[in-house]
Amino acid sequence: MDWDKDWNGRPIYYDRQGKPMTVQQWADKFEDAHYRHVARDVIGPDEPLDPAPLITVMTFWLGLNHDWRSDEPLIFETLVTAVGCCQLRGQRVGIDADARRRLAQVEIPCCAP
């Protein structure tokens, strides 16, 4: 059995540029927190006492293809959280040119005052 490919012979593990890698290469990169972490943005109120939610958008490299149906591997994950809210939104994206545009469209949790 080839541990680097799925049952259809497609690679399972990918680097940040979308190039296939072995399970050992993936494990080595996955241990590196700087390699896994892609971006983190915090959107918050201008004033410390403002009741508006503190929203955090974080993107991580997972390197493991989460899409078994298409040819585009989904190897990144973006999470959107808001402090004081019970909602969490997440989205997995691939490495194509539209990935950043799609990440910008992740729904931000709605918090009731």
Side-chain angles (χ1 to χ4, degrees), residues 1-2 5 13 53 55 58 71 74 80 89 93-94 98 102 108:
M1 177 173 191
D2 186 353
K5 299 194 184 291
Y13 307 98
I55 299 168
M58 298 170 290
D71 291 333
L74 299 181
V80 180
R89 298 276 190 250
V93 296
D98 291 330
R102 286 184 290 159
I108 293 178

Side-chain angles (χ1 to χ4, degrees), residues 44-54 83-85 111-113:
D46 293 331
E47 297 293 325
L49 299 177
D50 191 336
L54 180 65
V83 172
C85 296
C111 298

Side-chain angles (χ1 to χ4, degrees), residues 80-97:
V80 180
T81 63
V83 172
C85 296
C86 298
Q87 298 178 346
L88 173 71
R89 298 276 190 250
Q91 178 176 350
R92 291 191 174 128
V93 296
I95 46 94
D96 67 346

